[in-house]
């Protein structure tokens, strides 16, 4: 069956129709415009309703409460069954939360955990390289065990621009350069951001894996997703799996688990 999965993030709303884990339709809209009657998600859903990719239901998560409130009437108006992933659902769906205050866990991070359980197995670390970079741990018994949050690449490039008088704002998706030493301001900034970003990821991941080894978790899978994943060194491919649709697959997994309960 086709299922519409929607991730409402701080920067954008990413929606995709999945059929047995395969993305057959997708779109991305700035979160600030998501409820706009012309440029937002509503018109896309009207088009989708008349297409071969028409979904039988919706599974979504959100980390922006105001956007959630604005989008829920739009989603309900489709008439498609609607499932909203929250921390209260997780235990019943097979994801124990080894976390003292589970209400603080972002719904996107929970969706990633379900994506790991459904497609990769545990123990594992999910790295989401979005507006913020999140590292989420699913331990060997399949429980969410916490993680780490760090600034994302877009925040790094924006901060350099906003906190200085003369440095321009960079496109975080255009940082690849061939030189190792910058010979102009733009090149120097690109090298600094790209190298610093990769170094931050490496340092956090090494520390995290060392802690998991200390806890006796054994061999841990590492799965990366998110818009900045392409900035990671290709040399890491042997140890890190890249799954660009991990979060959407996690939302599909939660829907399937919910249906099996019925």
């Amino acid at each position: 069956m086709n299922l519409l999965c929607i991730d409402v993030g701080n920067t954008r709303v990413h929606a995709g129709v999945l059929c047995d884990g395969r993305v057959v339709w997708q779109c991305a809209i700035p979160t600030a415009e998501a409820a706009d009657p012309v440029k937002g998600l509503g018109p896309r859903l009207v088009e989708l309703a008349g297409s071969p990719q028409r979904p039988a239901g919706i599974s979504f998560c959100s980390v922006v409460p105001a956007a959630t409130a604005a989008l829920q009437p739009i989603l309900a108006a489709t008439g498609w069954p609607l499932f909203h992933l929250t921390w209260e659902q997780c235990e019943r769906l097979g994801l124990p939360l080894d976390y003292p205050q589970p209400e603080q866990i972002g719904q996107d991070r929970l969706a990633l955990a379900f994506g790991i359980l459904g497609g990769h197995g545990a123990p594992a670390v999910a790295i989401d390289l979005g507006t913020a970079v999140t590292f989420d741990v699913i331990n060997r018994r399949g429980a969410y065990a916490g993680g780490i949050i760090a600034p994302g690449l877009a925040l790094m490039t924006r901060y350099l621009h906003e906190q200085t008088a003369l440095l321009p704002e960079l496109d975080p998706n255009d940082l690849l350069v061939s030189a190792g030493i910058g010979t102009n301001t733009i090149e120097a900034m690109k090298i600094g951001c790209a190298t610093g970003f990769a170094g931050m990821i490496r340092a956090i991941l090494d520390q995290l894996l060392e802690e998991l080894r200390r806890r006796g978790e054994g061999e841990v899978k590492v799965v990366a997703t998110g818009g900045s994943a392409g900035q990671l060194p290709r040399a890491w491919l042997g140890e890190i799996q890249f799954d660009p649709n991990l979060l959407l697959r996690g939302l599909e997994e939660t829907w399937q688990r919910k249906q099996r309960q019925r």
Side-chain angles (χ1 to χ4, degrees):
M1 61 165 279
N2 288 340
L3 178 70
L4 176 59
C5 300
I6 303 173
D7 167 34
V8 182
N10 289 295
T11 303
R12 65 172 189 160
V13 174
H14 183 201
V17 174
L18 276 70
C19 182
D20 296 327
R22 183 171 57 91
V23 178
V24 298
W25 176 93
Q26 62 181 318
C27 72
I29 301 167
T31 301
E33 300 176 359
D36 187 278
V38 176
K39 298 182 291 184
L41 187 60
R44 309 289 183 95
L45 298 184
V46 171
E47 295 175 7
L48 186 60
S51 76
Q53 290 78 36
R54 177 187 173 94
I58 302 172
S59 181
F60 83 101
C61 66
S62 174
V63 296
V64 186
T68 305
L71 285 174
Q72 279 185 317
I74 296 171
L75 300 180
T78 65
W80 301 326
L82 184 62
F83 173 75
H84 182 190
L85 174 63
T86 64
W87 70 270
E88 294 97 336
Q89 317 263 3
C90 290
E91 295 276 353
R92 293 192 296 273
L93 296 178
L95 177 66
L97 302 177
D98 289 351
Y99 206 79
Q101 295 177 295
E103 69 279 3
Q104 294 183 355
I105 308 171
Q107 295 171 13
D108 54 345
R109 302 175 75 183
L110 298 173
L112 289 170
F114 279 106
I116 288 288
L117 291 175
H120 299 276
V125 173
I127 308 175
D128 186 11
L129 298 114
T131 305
V133 177
T134 59
F135 297 74
D136 292 296
V137 175
I138 299 86
N139 63 25
R140 63 182 176 178
R141 75 180 188 92
Y144 180 88
I148 294 171
I149 303 174
L153 195 51
L155 291 178
M156 286 185 177
T157 56
R158 192 184 314 147
Y159 185 82
L160 273 178
H161 169 63
E162 291 178 350
Q163 300 301 314
T164 59
L166 298 176
L167 296 182
E169 185 169 6
L170 299 178
D171 179 354
N173 298 311
D174 181 29
L175 299 181
L176 297 179
V177 293
S178 57
I181 300 176
T183 56
N184 58 63
T185 298
I186 297 293
E187 194 172 65
M189 291 176 67
K190 286 184 175 183
I191 294 170
C193 289
T195 305
F197 182 70
M200 179 190 73
I201 301 299
R202 180 81 271 172
I204 293 174
L205 181 60
D206 286 348
Q207 178 263 321
L208 195 51
L209 293 176
E210 178 60 32
E211 174 63 20
L212 292 173
R213 281 191 289 270
R214 188 188 68 78
R215 295 186 183 187
E217 288 290 341
E219 186 172 348
V220 178
K221 302 179 183 70
V222 181
V223 185
T225 191
S228 299
Q231 298 294 330
L232 297 184
R234 294 300 169 202
W236 295 6
L237 284 172
E239 58 180 309
I240 296 179
Q241 301 176 58
F242 291 89
D243 187 343
N245 295 307
L246 180 64
L247 197 153
L248 296 184
R249 295 185 211 280
L251 290 171
E252 183 186 43
E253 177 73 17
T254 63
W255 175 276
Q256 291 172 344
R257 291 183 177 215
K258 186 73 173 177
Q259 298 309 303
R260 285 197 292 269
Q261 285 185 347
R262 295 175 179 172

